[in-house]
């Protein structure tokens, strides 16, 4: 019996992949992971009561996920290149399921933070999925498939908000996490059954010291950015964390340039195509999140303010859901433009569309249909841009470094969203209006944030203009030398 099972497993591993099924399963896994980001939004105001904690302590249920995702994304990507992308994909989904179960069983702060940390550790699923697609799909299917996979992050967030709001309104809040766990189990089973393992590996020794250094630097930076508004931007804690982040980043970079097996190949990251794609990713991540901060608040504020629309959280989710569908639809169009004109043109087109959407918001934000239109235009632009980024990254790095490079690009987007959250928080806290004895963000404050979002999209357009006209040729994969160490003669030139 065991021999039969082994033969069946080998047969499945050697069978050619079914492209449509592989893409669908990986996109579903990406959507499930992106749901994690929006899962707690409907219950954030109630978390202090649910967990018997102060509002500042309950906020760690959100911050812990952000920090864990930042640490896990580059580390897990590198492990995927070394030991198997599908294997690390499965590990990430298991962490998501485990974290969801821990949260579902929680009634106090500490286990909730632990569960949300485990959920954050699953953030590398999308870059790992994109890397699997590069290794197992035929070249002619790659552009469209990676665009769909890249868009799954935005799609999951857009569609997850109304679903999470509905569950929170009609069921016990723990049901949110049981639902997440169930979806994770389905994704895990589908990946096991459908997704083949890639044979492209780097092998070698894992850069533990480099991973610890990068983790310390990212945690210091993002902790300062995310909590600076609460602690005070000029407080000793905030400034100390910023200073520590700079020093650790410098020491980490010095070490990475001198080690044989770096966690992040900095020589690859400064290639023109990789560098400017990552810089544009930060700007677009910033731009996209500006919308996510403003539009829900405008929809929820009371109509008596003169600019609020007085909608419930469920209505907010339903109003913003179409942007997810537009994003997914535009990812297919993005792939067509990438094949015809190249990913540089696609990225620049997406940035212009995002800027146009923000421009619309400056004059159209007083009706529900205005919000739908603005969200869909911006979502369409994001679908274009996010679909082009993996093509640009994969066109400039060797196949054996795909997961690490895509993970770093995903991290750059996340950094942009964190910076947007911090800056928008400062602006909206300063530009307020009185209502019912409370200070609320003013209409001009919202418009200022949206204008900055437009500026960030135009900055992404400008940065993308420095990309090479033609995509860099795909470097040759590593070849094992007689001593068993990969050689990157072409890749490291």
């Amino acid at each position: 019996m065991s021999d039969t099972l082994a033969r069946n497993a080998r047969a499945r591993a050697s069978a050619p992949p079914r492209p449509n099924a592989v893409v669908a399963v990986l996109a579903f896994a990406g959507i499930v992971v992106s749901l994690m980001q929006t899962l707690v939004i409907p219950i954030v105001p109630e978390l202090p009561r649910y967990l018997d904690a102060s509002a500042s302590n309950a906020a760690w249920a959100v911050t812990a996920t952000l920090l864990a995702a930042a640490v896990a994304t580059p580390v897990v990507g590198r492990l995927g290149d070394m030991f198997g992308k599908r294997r690390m994909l499965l590990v990430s989904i298991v962490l998501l399921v485990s974290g969801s179960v821990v949260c579902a069983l929680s009634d106090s702060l500490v286990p909730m933070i632990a569960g949300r940390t485990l959920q954050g550790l699953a953030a590398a699923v999308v870059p790992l999925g994109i890397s699997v697609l590069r290794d197992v799909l035929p070249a002619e299917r790659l552009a469209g498939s990676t665009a769909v996979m890249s868009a799954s992050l935005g799609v999951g967030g857009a569609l997850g908000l109304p679903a999470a709001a509905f569950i929170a309104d009609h069921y016990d809040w723990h049901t949110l996490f049981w639902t997440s766990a169930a979806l994770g189990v389905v994704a895990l089973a589908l990946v096991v059954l459908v997704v083949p393992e890639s044979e492209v590996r780097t092998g070698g020794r894992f850069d533990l010291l480099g991973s610890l250094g990068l983790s310390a630097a990212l945690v210091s930076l993002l902790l300062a950015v995310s909590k600076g508004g609460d602690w005070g931007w000029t407080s000793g804690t905030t400034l100390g964390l910023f200073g520590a982040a700079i020093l650790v980043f410098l020491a980490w970079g010095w070490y990475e340039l001198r080690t044989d097996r770096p966690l992040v190949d900095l020589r690859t990251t400064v290639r023109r195509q990789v560098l400017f794609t990552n810089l544009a990713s930060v700007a677009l991540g910033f731009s996209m999140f500006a919308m996510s901060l403003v539009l829900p608040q405008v929809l929820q504020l009371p109509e008596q303010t003169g600019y609020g629309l007085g909608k419930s959280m469920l209505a907010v989710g339903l109003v913003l859901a179409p942007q997810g569908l537009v994003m997914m639809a535009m990812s297919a169009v993005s792939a067509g433009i990438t094949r015809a004109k190249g990913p540089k043109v696609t990225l620049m087109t997406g940035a212009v569309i995002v800027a146009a959407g923000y421009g619309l918001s400056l004059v159209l934000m007083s009706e529900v249909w205005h919000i739908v239109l603005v969200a869909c235009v911006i979502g369409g632009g994001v679908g274009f841009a996010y679909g082009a980024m993996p093509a640009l990254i994969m066109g400039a790095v060797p196949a054996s470094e795909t997961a690490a490079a895509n993970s770093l690009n995903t991290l750059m987007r996340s950094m942009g969203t964190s910076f947007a959250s911090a800056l928008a928080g400062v602006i909206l806290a300063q530009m307020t209006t009185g209502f019912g004895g409370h200070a609320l963000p003013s209409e001009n404050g919202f418009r200022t944030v949206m204008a900055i979002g437009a500026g960030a999209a135009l900055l992404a357009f400008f940065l993308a203009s420095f990309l090479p006209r033609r995509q860099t040729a795909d470097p040759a994969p590593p070849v094992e030398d007689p001593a068993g160490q990969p050689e990157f003669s072409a890749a490291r030139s």
Side-chain angles (χ1 to χ4, degrees):
M1 174 67 91
S2 61
D3 289 341
T4 302
L5 290 175
R7 284 196 300 272
N8 289 339
R10 286 194 298 270
R12 285 195 301 270
S14 61
R18 295 162 288 175
N20 291 338
V22 171
V23 174
V25 167
L26 291 174
F28 175 73
I31 289 172
V32 170
V33 169
S34 69
L35 290 174
M36 166 193 70
Q37 306 293 340
T38 55
L39 195 66
V40 298
I41 290 178
I43 62 171
V44 164
E46 303 298 327
L47 276 179
R49 180 169 62 86
Y50 292 154
L51 303 176
D52 191 23
S54 66
S56 60
N57 287 335
W60 282 99
V62 178
T63 305
T65 308
L66 168 70
L67 298 179
V71 169
T73 301
V75 172
V76 174
R78 180 61 177 160
L79 290 172
D81 283 332
M82 293 176 65
F83 303 116
K85 303 174 184 73
R86 177 178 179 270
R87 179 178 298 174
M88 295 312 301
L89 188 63
L90 293 171
V91 169
S92 297
I93 298 175
V94 167
L95 290 171
L96 172 67
V97 173
S98 301
S100 300
V101 171
V102 170
C103 290
L105 296 173
S106 298
D107 284 307
S108 60
L109 183 64
V110 173
M112 172 62 79
I113 291 176
R116 289 289 289 166
T117 300
L118 288 172
Q119 286 186 315
L121 294 176
V125 163
V126 170
L128 285 171
I130 291 171
S131 304
V132 169
L133 292 175
R134 181 187 191 181
D135 293 345
V136 304
L137 292 188
E140 64 272 13
R141 294 292 306 271
L142 190 58
S145 300
T146 56
V148 169
M149 187 69 199
S150 186
S152 67
L153 272 177
V155 173
L159 300 182
L161 185 58
F166 177 82
I167 293 172
D169 283 348
H170 293 85
Y171 302 95
D172 179 76
W173 66 275
H174 295 91
T175 306
L176 289 168
F177 296 101
W178 286 121
T179 302
S180 174
L183 291 172
V185 169
V186 173
L188 184 69
L190 290 173
V191 171
V192 169
L193 293 173
V194 175
V195 178
E197 181 59 274
S198 165
E199 299 300 324
V200 181
R201 309 276 178 88
T202 61
R205 176 175 51 85
F206 180 67
D207 181 13
L208 178 60
L209 186 58
S211 68
L212 293 174
L214 180 60
S215 299
L218 287 172
V219 168
S220 298
L221 176 61
L222 293 176
L223 198 55
V225 169
S226 61
K227 303 296 286 186
D230 297 331
W231 296 337
W233 292 105
T234 58
S235 69
T237 302
T238 303
L239 294 177
L241 285 170
F242 277 127
I246 293 171
L247 291 175
V248 176
F249 269 124
L250 290 173
W252 172 79
W254 180 88
Y255 172 79
E256 291 292 281
L257 288 171
R258 284 158 178 79
T259 187
D260 292 334
R261 302 288 176 187
L263 176 73
V264 177
D265 188 346
L266 295 179
R267 293 179 179 85
T268 297
T269 61
V270 296
R271 290 177 184 168
R272 182 176 164 190
Q273 186 158 314
V274 178
L275 176 63
F276 282 100
T277 301
N278 284 334
L279 291 175
S281 297
V282 175
L284 276 167
F286 185 106
S287 184
M288 178 182 177
F289 203 65
M291 170 193 69
S292 302
L293 289 168
V294 169
L295 297 187
Q297 292 192 64
V298 172
L299 285 164
Q300 286 186 283
L301 285 175
E303 293 184 43
Q304 291 83 352
T305 60
Y307 53 90
L309 299 178
K311 303 300 179 183
S312 67
M313 177 58 76
L314 177 58
V316 170
L318 292 173
V319 168
L320 297 180
Q323 69 161 315
L325 301 178
V326 172
M327 196 179 300
M328 182 64 78
M330 288 300 102
S331 67
V333 181
S334 164
I337 295 176
T338 295
R339 284 191 293 266
K341 301 292 185 180
K344 174 183 177 178
V345 173
T346 309
L347 177 56
M348 295 177 73
T349 301
V352 169
I353 294 173
V354 171
Y358 279 108
L360 283 175
S361 73
L362 299 178
V363 294
L364 295 178
M365 209 157 56
S366 59
E367 302 286 346
V368 170
W369 72 266
H370 293 173
I371 303 296
V372 174
L373 176 62
V374 167
C376 286
V377 172
I378 295 174
V382 171
F384 266 81
Y386 277 17
M389 288 173 186
L392 285 161
I393 293 296
M394 291 188 296
V397 302
S400 56
E401 296 180 16
T402 302
N406 276 321
S407 295
L408 182 63
N409 182 252
T410 300
L411 176 62
M412 292 300 102
R413 302 186 214 177
S414 299
M415 297 283 280
T417 63
S418 299
F419 297 148
S421 178
L423 181 59
V426 171
I427 292 171
L428 297 179
Q430 296 298 318
M431 301 180 70
T432 60
T433 184
F435 180 80
H438 300 281
L440 298 178
S442 68
E443 184 176 16
N444 285 335
F446 288 134
R447 294 189 186 282
T448 299
V449 173
M450 297 297 270
I452 293 173
L458 293 175
L459 175 61
F461 175 87
F462 174 73
L463 291 168
S465 70
F466 289 95
L467 290 166
R469 287 182 177 273
R470 294 184 178 274
Q471 187 169 318
T472 304
D474 187 19
V479 179
E480 295 286 337
D481 67 14
Q485 301 297 327
E487 297 177 343
F488 295 92
S489 57
R492 296 194 184 275
S493 58

